Structure formats: structure tokens, C-alpha cells
Amino acid sequence: MAQEKLLLLKNIRTKGYAADLAAYRAAGGYKALEKVLGKSQGGMTPAQVTEAVKASGLRGRGGAGFPCGLKWTFMPADPKDKPNYLICNGDESEPGTFKDHYLLMNDPHLFLEGMILGCYALSCHHGYIYIRGESMYLIHRVRKAIDELYAEKLLGSNILGSGFDLDLTVHPGAGAYICGEETALLDSLEGKRGQPRFKPPFPAQAGFNGCPTTVNNVETLANVPFIINNGPEAFAKLGTEGNSGTQLVSISGHVQKPGVYEVEMGHNLKSLIEDFGGGVRGGLKLKAIIPGGASSPIMRPESIDIPYDFDSVMKAGSMRGSGALMVFDEDTSIIELANRTIRFFNHESCGQCTPCREGTFWLKNLIRDFVDNAGSEELMQRVDRVAGSILGNTICAFGDAAGAPMQAFGRVFPEEFRKHFLR
Amino acid sequence: MPTFYLDDQPVDFKQGETLLQAADRAGIYIPRYCYHPGLKITAQCRMCLVEITDMGNGRGMPRLQASCATPAAENMRISITSEKALNAQKTVNEFQLVNHPLDCPICDQAGECDLQDISFLYGTGRSEMNYEKRVSGNRDVGTFLMLERNRCIQCSRCERFSRDLVGTHDFAVFNRSHEVSFDTYGDHRIVHRFQGNLADLCPVGAITQRDWRFRKRAWKLKKTPGVCTTCSTGCNITLDSHQNHIYRISPRENLQVNRWWLCDEGRINFRGLNYHPGSSGPGAGPGKKTPRLEEPQLKARGKARDGGWDGVLEALAPLLKEVAAAKGSVAALADTHATNEELFLLKTLLAEGFGSDKLFFPLQKGKAELRAPAGLEDTFLYSLINTDKSPNTAGAQALGLKGLDGPDALKGALGGKVKIMLVLGSPWEDDPIAGDISTLADLVIYLGVGGNAWSKTADVVLPGFTHAEKYGSFVNRNNLVQRIRPAISPPPQARDQVRTLCSLLGALDREANHADGRDVLAALGAAEGPFKGLNWEALGDGGMPLPGKG
């Protein structure tokens, strides 16, 4: 039986962990912050922190898997005219993902320590934490944790006597999927309608309020304390080549034990479902999985005996994305799944780019035909063509997120579509 | 100049220019809906996607890029005709039409619609979208505009114009996905003075001008370049006419003057330019027929003597000669809606015919009428409307006419009752002085187009042409000389003011025989003076700076 590899969930898995500042400190929390900012151990410069994160090979856990340390080096090292900003993306809107929510709710200080370290590395003096407004309780939770830090002078001016000042603000989003896209998030944070911006300029050049900005996922930042405490090598040793560390996997769907599990990068995908998810519930057979949230292409059970990390899943024709594993048993109708998926994407498209705005609307209607048992070979090809025409032709990745899974449904499960042909 | 290659054709670009901007300057058309040179770039319509086979560093881009937003780089190689690019143009255009009603037969934009043109050029010609389209109603959004939301293709030009240039934020984005709509908040109606530009900017027939809707099909229009006469800015316009009727005035691009914009006063101006036979008399106004002077008149003691042009001029000649011979005092008052050519001939007539230099015009103080809201000072739009409501004050000044502040100043400058006074246009027409001219002169000769207080009380009335009917030139407030030309033909009995002034010169045995304003400008350009070297052809449609003013 496979075991969890606990880096991030160590405290959470400890029975009776209170998740407040005292409990976090008792469990060895804010040691990394002492190490970096405190006088006792000589401290670390921002560049050294960035270097450590870079050496650890930490990749962004939000979905794209961009190397975190590399992203940090795009920021101006010595901000003069404009302040640098670090913004934490806690929008977590990808259907099937609930790991950031779990982490923030049950151990907010782990994330906050990472956030403070990140701000220090980027010479940022005001960080923002963007959390979707639906989960107000979560926002209260994080705000309470921040209040604890201010009370203990771990936030505010001159943290630990280092001369480093930092304020953190929690900003509730208004609940749009697209606001999880980093530039749409910035617009939303600025008080505008959340719409992705075209790049260049990238956020590191002109982001929040036109200032250099880095946007990181909650889980990504939560990894930073471990890297500082144990050194980048300890982190890089975990996982597979190019995919270091552990990962939080949100398993949902037709499994016995849905939930958030922490495993090493590259853990076998099949084992995730069977050993942690407890296998398909009700003794049914596995029909399909979606390995990285609703925007990743569907996979057949035959092709899931692969390591679960960014590169391996990509090689298998899908995406690891945000680590949202959705499991479907043999009673699932793929057409209904496709219908639900495209309705979601149509509803959530910001409406800016033509292919995505009109394409998702068209696809929704096409899939509806299959739901009504009025499909045909021609319509199947049209689904593929329309979805393919959205791919890569939009400002942000939403177009890909909507188009790729729709193409995959027809490619991976053509027989399911044929069942719904007009007879 | 650095160069990139569009389908192997070298294109020069300026630093910071995007691919589409450079291609535009080189005369290569890349299809677009949301891009407009006067607005911020959003790259959202995706119609201008190009394939970048080489970023200038030997590497290509895996994805197509929006050429309107991608900065050009040295030695970049891009294609708009590669298979990938053509396919993208085809599919993006197909998507544009997914929720567009295709009601071209009843749409006012048809014939000048970007969506229509681009669909014919780049589209597939057939539709595979056989589902019900999005339907949202029409709305009355402004004093000048109607919004037909079904036709909207969500290019956001209206929103960007309202937000970034006018600053009124009238248009906003509502809803998401295919239900996105560009609309005003609640019952808010747009009232600012630049509304017509929204209709121009709209690439489809979603925003239309009220007084253009359902009046004429766009492809029937004759387009005559002209200059707006509603203020001293001299915005470049196009007079859209059909069968001798002007249906619309729209802005004409001139980066030195008005860029792409025109205020609503300038647009409404077309209403006064159309001549309807037998419509002389009061009742001018929006939508109403224009009162026009149709016949030359010579009145003696309140009784009109009708003799046509020949009769009137024959009767007038001895009167003029008599005053000239007796060295009687003669003065002229010209409105600065007159062209340089008319003012020049009027000056010649006064100087050579009567030895007089009493040539006056009502001087309007020019300054920007509107103050731009904070933060929009450099958006230019608000500087368009000037308080000087005449197009040629600078021309009158250049020709040496004396500007007067008001009718009282005129009385002082005349220094008592004069023998003959020539009135050109309608200076101070609303002032009592216009109805009380017998205290100013023994004989008042009026040259103008419309019936007003001057024409009612003048002894001689000589009907002329409007600026839509004649050749000529104006000098705008920045000393740019710009030309006008006829778009429609005048009433049969009216005569070009230039010809009339020539006739008056001829009555005093002065050699003057100019066919129209172009001839006079040639004479003006040939002589020493502020216009030296100019001629009508050389002015071109963009205008030339006044030579005398550096």
C-alpha cells in the first residue's frame, strides 16, 4: 500500500493540530522565516532565496507548471520607480480542484510563511492574496491568520528586526473562472472587469497597476518554507526528473475516498486512484479519468499506468494541470460529461476573443444535438473542427482549456458519440 | 529604418510599431475588427492573426499572433497567406458570424460594413452554424444614436472610445461569453458632443446615427471631400450625397487636423446644405427645408424689381460708377464663412474700384470650447470644438481684413453713414444692426445664400453658393490652408460669389474674369502676399500651411 509523502500536509495529518500561529510554531513553523530574516543565522539575501527556489526545480502548481524560481528572476531585482508585487492566486476555479482550499483552511500559516518568503525574495512590500468570494469562511480564516502575524510582529514593519516591511491583503474575488487566469486576476484586483490581457507586456514587466508583478499559486508558495529549511537539494531529490517535490492531488468523482492527497511528483496515476482514492466505488469498473481539471483532455483506463507529473501526463496526451483527478465509472455518459463541460466553459468565457466567445456557444449547441440523440458523423467532425479552431487563437489559455477537452471527448470516446447518432 | 518581411515583402517599421501598423503604412491590408488607430489596442477580435515563421532570431512562434498587438522586430518574417494564417482568418470570420443576424438587406451599414467586406474577402461564403442565434433587443442609447445589439460583434471600440477618449464611460460591457453586450447603464442616454464617432467606429451596423438610418443605401453615395465650416478647427469631412442631396457628413482622416473624429455639430451641418426649390422663407432648422435666396433682387423703396441677373447688374452698374467717380465712401462687412477667394476679390473691389480699405469682419475669439476631464487632457478630442464658429478667421486676418468685436465697433469704424456697403455672408445676423442698415449706408448690397435680416433689408440681394456648392479655400486656426469643392449643384438662379464679385469689378471697368474659386486662388498664389505659391491643385486633400506664416 502506497503511503503519502508529507511535506505540505504534515501538520494537517497530525491529529489535533489547531492550525493557529502557536500550533504552527510548535510544529516548527516560521523557522524558514527566522533563517532568512533573523539575525541569529546570518540571514539570506532576496537573491539567495530566489536562487534556492530556482535550484529546487519547483514548478508552478497552478496548472501551467512554469518553473517558479525562473519566474521570480524576471522581476526587477532592485525596484526603484515602481514597487514590485507578489500576488497569490487562490482563486482555484478549475473544476475538480480543491487542494488550495484544503491547505488554506487547515494550515494557513504554512502558506503565509511561503508568501512572506516570496515577498522578501521579490522585494515586494505589499502582497495580495486573491481568494474567490464564494468561500468567505476561507477568507476569514486567512485574515485571522494574518491578524495573528501582525500581533506577533511577523508582518508589518521591520519583520524580525531585518528592516524588511511587508503588508498582506486578502482580496475576495467575485467568482469568475476566468479570474484564475493571472492577468484577468490582476484586472479583477484593480477593480475592473476580469478579462485577460494580451501579452506582451508580461506581468513581470507591467502587471498590477502597471507595476512588475508575479502571480503564484497557493501550493507553489507553500513549498517555499521546506526548500529554505531543508535546502533546494532535499526538494529536488523528491519527484522525477524535471518535476521535483511533492504534489497535492485532489481526487474526486466515483471513488471510494475522494479528497486531497500528497504524493511525490511522478507517483503512478493508477495507484493514486486505487491506493488513495480507494478505487471506483460500488464495485464498478473505471471508464475514464480527467487528470488535471475540466480543461484537460479525458483519458481511457488503458493509458493511465503512467507517472503523474507535468511531463509524463503531457506525453500521454493530456495535462497534469492543477492536479485535479476526476474519476468516472462505467455508468458515466461521456456525452453528458461533454455537455456539462462545454456548458461550463461557455458560461465562463469572458467573451473577449471571438473564437472562444462564439466557439464555445457553437460547441454547446453541437453537443446538445448529441444529448438529444440527433448527432451524426458530420456533426462529430464539426465538433472537432470548431474546437480545433479555438485552440491557440485566443488571448489567454481559456481557448485551449475549452477546445482541447472537447476535441479529446470525440477522439478518445468516438463510440460514445456514435451511440447518440440520429437513428 | 528597420525592416521585417511580410510574405517575403520587405516592410519598414518605426521602433515600437506593431506589425499591423507598419503593414498599414506600407499599404498592405491585414483584416481587423477591433483595431483602430485612434484607440487602445486590445487584440481581442483575433481577425488579424498572422503566422510568425521567424521572430528575427531564427525561431518561429508555434502559435499565430495578433498582428495588431505584436511589436515588429528587425528581420522578422511573417505571413498572412500561409495555410495556417488563411485558415485562422477563415475560422475567426466564421465565428464572427455565428451570432451575427446577417440582416444586411435592412442594415444601414451594408455597403460600408467591415464584417460584410471582410466576410466576402476572407470568409467561406457558407455557414455551418444552424442553431438559433443570440437575440437581444435594440436600444435608444443617445440623442444621436441607436443601438442594435443583435448586430454587435463585441469589438469593444465603443467602450474604448467612451472610456479613453471621451471619458464619459457611457458604454460598458455586460455579461459574459456569447451573451456579452456593449450597452449603456440602465436608462442612461449618451449626451456628449462626439456621439457620431461611435457610429463611425462601429465596424457593423450596431450603432447607427439617427438621422442617417433608413435614408439611403451606402453604396449609392457620392463622396466629396470637404472641410467642416462649423468652427475654426476646419475638420476634414466627406460630404455623402446622392442625386444632389446630402445625406450625411462624416469625418475624413487628417492626422494634422481632426485625426479620425468629428463633433456632432459638424455632422448635423448637412441639414442646412440641401436646397429644395421654392423653399425660401423662414423655417430653417433640423430636418426642415432650408430657406435659400433664389433670385437676384434690386429693391427700390421696398419694391422688388425683377430683372434676372442681367437686369439687376445693369441697374446696379451706374450706381456703383457714380459713387466711384464721386469718390464716395464705401465699406464692406464680410462674414468669415466666406472663402479666401471671395475675401480677396472683395478686397480688390474695394481697393481698386473705390479706393477704400474699410473692409471688416466680425471677430470671434477662438479658444477650446470644452475642457477635457481630468486625465484626458492629451486625448485631443476635446480640443476639436472651438468657440470661433467660422472656418476662415485666419484667412480673413491673413488677407488684411479688420476684425471687429461687435456692431458698435462697426459703427465707430465706418465713421458715419457710407454711400455703399457690401455685406458678404451673414455677419451678426441676429443683431439689430442687420435690420437697421439704413442708418449705416445709402445702398446696401448683400451677397449670401440664406434668407436673413440682411437679405430682407438690403437694397440689392445677390444669391450665392454654399460651401457644398463651390470651389474655394479656408485657413483654419492653425494656419492650414484647406480646399473645398462642390458636392451638389446650387439653385439655378444662384451664382458663385466669386463670379458675382467679378461682375461687380467688371461694372467698374476692372479686368476680372475668374471661372470659379480655383482660378482666384491661382491669381492669389501668383501675387505677392500670404498665399504666395499656393494653388488649388497643390493644396491636395490634406491642406498646406499658409506660406506667409512659416
Side-chain angles (χ1 to χ4, degrees), chain B residues 127-411:
Chain B
S127 173
E128 293 187 336
M129 154 68 199
N130 42 12
Y131 303 100
E132 226 170 87
K133 296 189 177 194
R134 171 207 57 178
V135 178
S136 30
N138 299 350
R139 278 194 13 102
D140 171 5
V141 287
T143 47
F144 212 70
L145 303 172
M146 279 292 283
L147 175 67
E148 311 220 3
R149 288 181 293 182
N150 286 350
R151 294 178 187 152
C152 177
I153 56 165
Q154 287 88 21
C155 71
S156 87
R157 283 185 185 178
C158 54
E159 185 220 353
R160 283 176 278 156
F161 181 78
S162 304
R163 184 190 63 206
D164 301 333
L165 273 81
V166 197
T168 46
H169 299 256
D170 291 306
F171 269 94
V173 200
F174 296 90
N175 300 332
R176 276 198 311 233
S177 73
H178 65 282
E179 283 167 347
V180 156
S181 73
F182 287 81
D183 205 339
T184 58
Y185 289 99
D187 292 333
H188 174 74
R189 289 180 93 215
I190 305 172
V191 292
H192 64 68
R193 293 162 74 178
F194 305 100
Q195 293 176 39
N197 296 308
L198 289 160
D200 289 342
L201 283 170
C202 185
V204 291
I207 305 177
T208 47
Q209 290 180 37
R210 283 164 178 282
D211 55 8
W212 159 247
R213 286 162 63 84
F214 309 123
R215 296 286 159 87
K216 188 53 68 182
R217 303 315 321 234
W219 57 86
K220 293 190 165 173
L221 296 173
K222 184 180 93 177
K223 299 197 170 274
T224 313
V227 173
C228 180
T229 57
T230 52
C231 83
S232 61
T233 304
C235 294
N236 286 209
I237 56 170
T238 305
L239 298 151
D240 291 338
S241 61
H242 178 63
Q243 293 179 339
N244 218 29
H245 186 99
I246 298 176
Y247 286 91
R248 184 176 64 176
I249 287 177
S250 35
R252 182 162 56 87
E253 178 181 332
N254 187 334
L255 296 181
Q256 296 181 77
V257 185
N258 57 318
R259 299 188 195 168
W260 307 270
W261 321 122
L262 184 65
C263 71
D264 293 342
E265 284 91 328
R267 289 170 198 271
I268 295 174
N269 200 26
F270 84 90
R271 293 169 175 168
L273 294 174
N274 288 318
Y275 160 69
H276 303 275
S279 66
S280 49
K288 300 260 180 65
K289 289 173 177 175
T290 316
R292 273 299 284 268
L293 298 173
E294 296 183 17
E295 300 279 333
Q297 288 170 305
L298 183 80
K299 299 177 210 165
R301 297 195 182 86
K303 196 174 164 203
R305 204 191 307 163
D306 185 15
W309 277 94
D310 292 344
V312 170
L313 288 174
E314 252 168 50
L316 190 56
L319 295 173
L320 297 179
K321 273 188 178 150
E322 192 186 307
V323 174
K327 304 245 180 293
S329 56
V330 174
L333 178 64
D335 179 5
T336 40
H337 281 79
T339 62
N340 296 319
E341 293 71 19
E342 291 157 24
L343 296 175
F344 169 66
L345 287 181
L346 189 62
K347 192 184 171 191
T348 313
L349 177 68
L350 247 67
E352 294 185 7
F354 301 102
S356 164
D357 65 344
K358 287 183 177 160
L359 185 49
F360 308 109
F361 69 92
L363 180 64
Q364 300 186 43
K365 294 273 181 331
K367 66 173 175 37
E369 187 172 324
L370 301 174
R371 217 175 63 205
L376 291 175
E377 288 83 358
D378 53 347
T379 59
F380 171 81
L381 194 67
Y382 280 90
S383 67
L384 275 184
I385 305 180
N386 201 277
T387 51
D388 177 0
K389 296 296 178 197
S390 75
N392 203 23
T393 300
Q397 281 165 334
L399 284 163
L401 275 70
K402 291 182 205 70
L404 297 176
D405 288 333
D408 293 339
L410 175 68
K411 281 175 190 158

Side-chain angles (χ1 to χ4, degrees), chain A residues 252-325:
Chain A
S252 63
H254 304 149
V255 288
Q256 307 226 34
K257 293 189 288 169
V260 177
Y261 300 94
E262 185 172 20
V263 293
E264 269 188 63
M265 273 287 179
H267 190 95
N268 187 282
L269 180 50
K270 204 169 179 173
S271 142
L272 270 170
I273 298 166
E274 281 165 12
D275 298 341
F276 295 104
V280 180
R281 70 182 180 193
L284 294 171
K285 274 197 287 208
L286 181 66
K287 181 168 192 173
I289 65 143
I290 293 181
S295 59
S296 58
I298 197 164
M299 293 169 88
R300 279 184 174 274
E302 300 90 86
S303 50
I304 65 166
D305 198 3
I306 54 166
Y308 190 62
D309 61 35
F310 290 108
D311 299 332
S312 310
V313 185
M314 183 77 85
K315 219 185 287 168
S318 189
M319 270 161 39
R320 182 216 166 258
S322 52
L325 204 52

Side-chain angles (χ1 to χ4, degrees), chain A residues 360-388:
Chain A
T360 53
F361 165 77
W362 192 355
L363 281 173
K364 183 177 77 173
N365 280 300
L366 284 166
I367 297 295
R368 185 76 219 168
D369 268 359
F370 285 93
V371 174
D372 295 343
N373 291 324
S376 67
E377 197 66 45
E378 192 196 352
L379 288 185
M380 224 173 117
Q381 282 165 12
R382 198 170 295 163
V383 169
D384 191 68
R385 183 177 74 81
V386 173

Side-chain angles (χ1 to χ4, degrees), chain A residues 98-420:
Chain A
F98 41 89
K99 50 156 182 112
D100 293 343
H101 181 282
Y102 185 76
L103 193 64
L104 285 176
M105 198 62 205
N106 297 311
D107 198 6
H109 283 288
L110 174 67
F111 153 72
L112 285 171
E113 187 177 4
M115 180 83 190
I116 298 169
L117 290 168
C119 287
Y120 176 72
L122 297 174
S123 311
C124 156
H125 299 289
H126 196 155
Y128 289 86
I129 302 160
Y130 186 95
I131 300 176
R132 59 178 11 210
E134 281 96 327
S135 16
M136 235 20 239
Y137 52 93
L138 187 59
I139 292 163
H140 292 317
R141 181 86 176 183
V142 178
R143 279 185 177 154
K144 206 177 136 214
I146 289 176
D147 289 345
E148 287 178 310
L149 288 178
Y150 274 110
E152 292 285 317
K153 305 232 180 304
L154 287 169
L155 273 180
S157 55
N158 197 13
I159 299 168
L160 297 172
S162 64
F164 176 66
D165 309 333
L166 176 66
D167 288 307
L168 289 182
T169 303
V170 181
H171 183 92
Y177 174 74
I178 196 62
C179 290
E181 201 275 349
E182 62 176 358
T183 53
L185 184 148
L186 296 177
D187 266 14
S188 169
L189 197 59
E190 288 173 15
K192 300 175 188 158
R193 178 186 163 88
Q195 280 191 170
R197 307 170 180 174
F198 68 85
K199 292 139 248 173
F202 290 93
Q205 299 158 308
F208 181 54
N209 287 339
C211 304
T213 304
T214 292
V215 182
N216 279 134
N217 177 257
V218 172
E219 187 192 343
T220 315
L221 290 169
N223 274 308
V224 178
F226 177 88
I227 294 168
I228 299 299
N229 279 328
N230 303 288
E233 303 79 20
F235 189 84
K237 228 167 37 202
L238 299 166
T240 54
E241 178 74 34
N243 296 273
S244 50
T246 62
Q247 58 185 338
L248 296 183
V249 185
S250 324
I251 303 180
S252 63
H254 304 149
V255 288
Q256 307 226 34
K257 293 189 288 169
V260 177
Y261 300 94
E262 185 172 20
V263 293
E264 269 188 63
M265 273 287 179
H267 190 95
N268 187 282
L269 180 50
K270 204 169 179 173
S271 142
L272 270 170
I273 298 166
E274 281 165 12
D275 298 341
F276 295 104
V280 180
R281 70 182 180 193
L284 294 171
K285 274 197 287 208
L286 181 66
K287 181 168 192 173
I289 65 143
I290 293 181
S295 59
S296 58
I298 197 164
M299 293 169 88
R300 279 184 174 274
E302 300 90 86
S303 50
I304 65 166
D305 198 3
I306 54 166
Y308 190 62
D309 61 35
F310 290 108
D311 299 332
S312 310
V313 185
M314 183 77 85
K315 219 185 287 168
S318 189
M319 270 161 39
R320 182 216 166 258
S322 52
L325 204 52
M326 293 196 268
V327 181
F328 303 99
D329 68 26
E330 55 185 322
D331 287 349
T332 313
S333 159
I334 298 296
I335 287 296
E336 285 293 352
L337 179 60
N339 185 32
R340 192 67 201 86
T341 308
I342 193 59
R343 276 175 56 201
F344 171 79
F345 282 116
N346 177 234
H347 183 254
E348 293 293 343
S349 165
C350 80
Q352 196 180 190
C353 303
T354 311
C356 171
R357 179 183 67 234
E358 308 294 350
T360 53
F361 165 77
W362 192 355
L363 281 173
K364 183 177 77 173
N365 280 300
L366 284 166
I367 297 295
R368 185 76 219 168
D369 268 359
F370 285 93
V371 174
D372 295 343
N373 291 324
S376 67
E377 197 66 45
E378 192 196 352
L379 288 185
M380 224 173 117
Q381 282 165 12
R382 198 170 295 163
V383 169
D384 191 68
R385 183 177 74 81
V386 173
S389 302
I390 307 175
L391 292 183
N393 287 344
T394 51
I395 288 177
C396 75
F398 186 102
D400 302 351
M406 296 319 292
Q407 274 192 319
F409 286 127
R411 189 181 63 238
V412 180
F413 288 98
E415 74 279 7
E416 289 279 327
F417 278 68
R418 297 214 168 86
K419 272 190 219 161
H420 294 267

Side-chain angles (χ1 to χ4, degrees), chain B residues 468-502:
Chain B
E469 295 160 359
K470 65 188 173 193
Y471 289 97
S473 67
F474 295 127
V475 185
N476 84 350
R477 63 180 154 90
N478 294 324
N479 290 313
L480 189 77
V481 190
Q482 306 191 97
R483 65 185 192 182
I484 56 168
R485 67 171 106 197
I488 53 174
S489 49
Q493 280 294 306
R495 197 177 274 195
D496 193 345
Q497 285 91 330
V498 167
R499 301 272 303 127
T500 309
L501 287 164
C502 285

